[in-house]
């Protein structure tokens, strides 16, 4: 485990905080955790309708194709926004209990990762029935972990910033909105590459976008039964490790005065 | 051996009189109007294992700021604080409890944040529930608890952590007499075993009953520091709490005689 310079049982503290976030979200609702499945299914239905009947497209397994974009995107956005507000939302804990505060954004991300895991499980079930399982599926956990690391790093940065500038949260929410169009959710990479002919800058930016890389990998594995290019995985891993390293470093630098601004 | 040591410690907050938007500051060159406020000034003292020290002072004297800095959730502006020993801080009733989680779930959360390991908690869980005296409500959400019940549960978890430095900010004042007696016994037990305790309260009877030494804070400075009886009499005379009764034998009047 990461060295947090404390005598805490870090793993236990992290799982307890994550369990809190996870349980609290749907505790008082009669449908409980089913709500975390409702949103992606509704989005999938609407997009399928629009891109089948309104704008024609001839992609095979289009609803599944969409889900493979929607689920990683949804997780990314929810985890990032939850992570961003996590320190401010847990101001009481930050001000009154001495414990490693890095755990709070991590817990916010991990609680969302649990929902994501359930959604992915159902996606796998559907893909297994419609397309058929593949031994390449063993790569999915790697992608999953890298995605968590990437968004954790981002969240550590934005959570710390959000303590000093409460506007951060709205910047993040707007960024998430823009990302929906910048990430290949309802279009594919092939289409990007055609379009971006002559826009090589745009192409490079997109190829370094870890969220886009995640979606690309998941689609290759689940939809086309192909292995992703190693290049993509290396870029994704580099971005994720860089993100979490920068996030932790920045968070630790500025966390000393958190209590004064909450 | 548990110990804390504060050296010339000061804490400054900025009071904002007029907050400007960033746009106003950049565009119209208007500055935020702030004024420094020193919550603590040049505070120095040391406490070693075996001592229970009370912190008294009027509202805004700096008691809570001081305890937050000792606990480590807030940082000093200048000066230093050293502590050795594992810390349990109860800086507010019900912190670390989530209203929607049950008492049992909250025990897990609280213990984990304090720094207990999972196995340690599993071993002590039943004893914590018993100590808290709210076993019947342990599967109810914490939002149904009274402040007294929250304080009981929080204290139960904290003492089972066997802290070497125990910090209590006004959390005992909400308990009933039976619970206070139970707490006093536990604090004595910990302190006799070499721990130290810091207790801030406006309830001078509680301070008098628990503490052997008292530090009187006045506008962020240490006004006096010495044996409990002496300081408390001075504080009750000179402070705003003239009608507080600080008489002997206090221990019996506050906690009642041991049955």
């Amino acid at each position: 485990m990461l060295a947090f310079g404390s005598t805490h049982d870090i793993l236990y503290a992290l799982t307890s905080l994550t369990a809190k976030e996870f349980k609290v979200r749907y505790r008082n609702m009669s449908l409980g955790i089913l709500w975390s499945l409702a949103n992606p299914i509704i989005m999938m239905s609407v997009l399928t309708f629009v891109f089948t009947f309104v704008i024609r497209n001839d992609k095979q397994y289009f609803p599944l194709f969409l889900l493979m974009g929607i689920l990683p995107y949804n997780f990314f956005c929810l985890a990032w926004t939850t992570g961003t507000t996590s320190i401010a939302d847990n101001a009481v804990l930050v001000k009154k209990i001495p414990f490693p505060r890095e755990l709070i954004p991590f817990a916010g991300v991990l609680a969302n990762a649990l929902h994501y895991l359930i959604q992915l499980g159902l996606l796998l079930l559907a893909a297994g029935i419609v397309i058929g399982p593949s031994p390449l599926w063993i790569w999915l956990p790697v992608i999953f972990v890298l995605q968590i690391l990437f968004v954790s790093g981002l969240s550590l940065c934005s959570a710390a910033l959000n303590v000093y500038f409460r506007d951060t949260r709205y910047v993040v929410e707007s960024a998430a909105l823009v990302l929906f169009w910048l990430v290949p959710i309802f279009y594919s990479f092939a289409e990007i590459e055609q379009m971006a002919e002559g826009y090589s800058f745009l192409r490079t930016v997109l190829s370094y976008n870890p969220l886009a890389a995640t979606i690309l990998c998941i689609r290759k594995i689940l939809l086309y039964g192909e292995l992703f290019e190693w290049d993509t995985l290396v870029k994704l891993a580099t971005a994720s490790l860089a993100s979490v390293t920068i996030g932790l470093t920045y968070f630790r630098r500025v966390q000393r005065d958190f209590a004064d601004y909450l | 051996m548990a110990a804390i040591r504060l050296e010339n410690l000061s804490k400054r907050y900025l009071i904002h009189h007029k907050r400007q938007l960033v746009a106003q500051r950049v565009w119209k060159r208007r500055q935020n109007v702030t004024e420094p406020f020193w919550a603590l000034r040049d505070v120095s003292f040391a406490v070693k294992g075996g001592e229970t020290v009370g912190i008294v002072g009027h509202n805004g004297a700096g008691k809570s700021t001081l305890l937050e800095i000792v606990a480590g959730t807030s940082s000093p502006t200048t000066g230093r604080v050293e502590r050795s020993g594992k810390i349990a801080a109860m800086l507010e009733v019900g912190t670390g409890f989530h209203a929607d989680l049950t008492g049992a779930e909250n025990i897990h959360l609280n213990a984990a944040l304090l720094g207990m390991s999972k196995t340690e908690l599993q071993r002590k869980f039943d004893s914590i529930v018993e100590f808290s005296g709210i076993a019947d409500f342990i599967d109810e959400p914490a939002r149904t608890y009274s402040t007294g019940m929250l304080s009981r549960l929080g204290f139960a978890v904290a003492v089972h952590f066997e802290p070497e430095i125990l910090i209590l900010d006004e959390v005992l004042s909400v308990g009933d007499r039976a619970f206070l007696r139970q707490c006093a016994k536990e604090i004595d037990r910990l302190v006799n075993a070499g721990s130290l305790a810091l207790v801030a309260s406006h309830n001078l009877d509680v301070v008098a009953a628990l503490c052997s030494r008292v530090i009187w804070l006045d506008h962020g400075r240490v006004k006096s520091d010495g044996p409990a009886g002496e300081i408390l009499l001075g504080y009750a005379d000179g402070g705003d709490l003239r009608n507080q009764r600080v008489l002997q034998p206090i221990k019996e009047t506050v906690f009642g005689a041991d049955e």
Side-chain angles (χ1 to χ4, degrees):
Chain A
M1 202 58 204
L2 302 153
F4 284 89
S6 124
T7 53
H8 277 70
D9 183 338
I10 294 298
L11 209 57
Y12 180 45
L14 184 61
T15 48
S16 301
L17 273 172
T18 308
K20 179 200 106 183
E21 297 288 336
F22 183 77
K23 285 175 186 165
V24 159
R25 170 121 54 108
Y26 298 112
R27 167 121 318 173
N28 296 317
M29 309 186 188
S30 27
L31 288 183
I33 204 164
L34 284 178
W35 280 116
S36 85
L37 301 176
N39 176 284
I41 288 174
I42 291 169
M43 258 174 99
M44 180 195 80
S45 313
V46 172
L47 286 173
T48 305
F49 174 78
V50 171
F51 286 97
T52 308
F53 297 105
V54 183
I55 304 170
R56 293 238 162 255
N57 93 86
D58 46 12
K59 287 190 189 67
Q60 228 190 341
Y61 310 123
F62 190 58
L64 281 179
F65 174 91
L66 278 176
L67 268 186
M68 289 168 198
I70 293 170
L71 296 187
Y73 166 81
N74 262 6
F75 162 65
F76 179 83
C77 293
L78 280 174
W80 193 19
T81 44
T82 314
T84 302
T85 56
S86 63
I87 296 288
D89 289 344
N90 288 291
V92 187
L93 297 187
V94 172
K95 285 169 87 164
K96 300 294 180 185
I97 304 181
F99 73 101
R101 293 159 172 169
E102 296 92 324
L103 297 178
I104 297 179
F106 274 111
V109 169
L110 287 177
N112 280 296
L114 287 177
H115 289 287
Y116 183 36
L117 201 61
I118 298 169
Q119 295 165 354
L120 282 179
L122 287 178
L123 174 67
L124 280 185
L125 192 71
I129 294 168
V130 178
I131 305 167
S134 144
L136 288 173
W137 285 15
I138 52 163
W139 282 101
L140 288 173
V142 178
I143 308 291
F144 181 69
V145 169
L146 287 178
Q147 205 191 350
I148 290 177
L149 284 181
F150 179 71
V151 74
S152 297
L154 273 188
S155 297
L156 282 164
C157 286
S158 56
L161 261 181
N162 190 54
V163 173
Y164 300 106
F165 307 99
R166 294 299 164 94
D167 319 55
T168 309
R169 156 184 191 175
Y170 297 105
V171 176
V172 168
E173 281 171 8
S174 307
L177 215 58
V178 173
L179 263 181
F180 181 78
W181 303 92
L182 285 187
V183 164
I185 294 175
F186 53 88
Y187 51 89
S188 69
F189 276 87
E191 284 161 307
I192 286 277
E193 304 217 313
Q194 286 161 18
M195 179 210 75
E197 208 81 61
Y199 294 88
S200 58
F201 169 73
L202 191 66
R203 211 149 98 190
T204 319
V205 170
L206 278 173
S207 82
Y208 274 100
N209 175 346
L211 178 55
T214 313
I215 295 175
L216 178 67
C217 291
I218 292 179
R219 280 201 185 135
K220 283 236 169 175
I221 294 170
L222 287 181
L223 204 58
Y224 308 122
E226 298 168 16
L227 191 59
F228 41 79
E229 283 155 42
W230 291 111
D231 190 39
T232 315
L233 187 70
V234 171
K235 278 180 189 165
L236 181 59
T238 314
S240 301
L241 291 178
S243 162
V244 85
T245 314
I246 295 169
L248 272 177
T249 315
Y250 175 67
F251 190 94
R252 286 183 183 155
R253 261 182 94 101
V254 300
Q255 62 111 18
R256 200 182 108 103
D257 294 327
F258 274 180
D260 298 353
Y261 290 85
L262 287 172
Chain B
M1 187 72 157
I4 54 174
R5 218 175 125 79
L6 283 71
E7 261 173 54
N8 306 103
L9 188 139
S10 298
K11 176 74 181 183
R12 184 190 59 199
Y13 288 108
L14 287 178
I15 306 173
H16 293 260
H17 290 299
K18 201 166 190 186
R19 243 180 232 275
Q20 308 282 354
L21 290 174
V22 173
Q24 287 174 310
R25 270 153 60 193
V26 174
W27 196 248
K28 298 187 175 166
R29 302 187 173 276
R30 277 193 196 146
Q31 293 299 310
N32 277 345
V33 182
T34 56
E35 189 192 331
F37 170 76
W38 290 88
L40 290 174
R41 269 224 158 127
D42 216 18
V43 172
S44 302
F45 64 84
V47 181
K48 54 187 192 316
E51 281 188 294
T52 306
V53 178
I55 314 281
V56 297
H58 57 87
N59 288 118
K63 301 187 293 295
S64 295
T65 305
L66 178 72
L67 294 188
E68 280 171 16
I69 290 175
V70 173
T73 59
S74 180
S75 54
T77 309
T78 60
R80 23 194 281 124
V81 53
E82 286 167 30
R83 33 183 126 63
S84 59
K86 55 178 188 173
I87 302 180
M90 291 182 71
L91 297 175
E92 203 175 68
V93 176
T95 34
F97 288 100
H98 195 287
D100 286 332
L101 296 180
T102 67
E105 287 169 334
N106 269 310
I107 291 178
H108 274 277
L109 181 60
N110 236 275
L113 292 182
L114 270 176
M116 264 196 223
S117 71
K118 193 170 186 172
T119 43
E120 187 183 356
L121 178 74
Q122 279 162 348
R123 195 155 31 88
K124 294 175 176 173
F125 186 86
D126 293 335
S127 165
I128 290 174
V129 174
E130 197 197 313
F131 185 94
S132 72
I134 56 168
D136 292 344
F137 308 98
I138 209 69
D139 291 319
E140 291 293 315
R143 79 181 111 80
T144 63
Y145 290 10
S146 67
T147 29
M149 289 159 82
L150 285 173
S151 177
R152 278 167 173 266
L153 202 54
F155 190 82
V157 179
V159 294
H160 280 81
F161 180 51
E162 300 290 324
E164 290 159 300
I165 300 174
L166 179 65
I167 300 172
L168 305 170
D169 191 355
E170 208 62 78
V171 288
L172 298 180
S173 316
V174 298
D176 57 24
R177 232 167 61 148
F179 185 63
L180 267 179
R181 192 161 57 226
Q182 213 179 335
C183 292
K185 224 159 92 182
E186 285 302 310
I187 295 171
D188 281 348
R189 180 182 65 78
L190 287 169
V191 168
N192 287 335
S195 299
L196 67 88
L198 287 184
V199 183
S201 181
H202 286 292
N203 188 332
L204 300 189
D205 290 341
V206 169
V207 175
L210 288 172
C211 306
S212 50
R213 174 182 160 197
V214 169
I215 293 170
W216 174 2
L217 283 181
D218 187 50
H219 293 97
R221 293 175 193 274
V222 175
K223 181 156 183 162
S224 54
D225 175 354
E230 203 177 292
I231 306 290
L232 284 176
L233 277 173
Y235 177 62
D237 282 347
D240 300 328
L241 304 159
R242 252 171 260 275
N243 38 16
Q244 280 279 353
R245 178 181 35 83
V246 188
L247 296 167
Q248 293 289 343
I250 287 160
K251 206 144 190 162
E252 283 72 30
T253 57
V254 179
F255 302 136
D258 276 320
E259 280 107 82

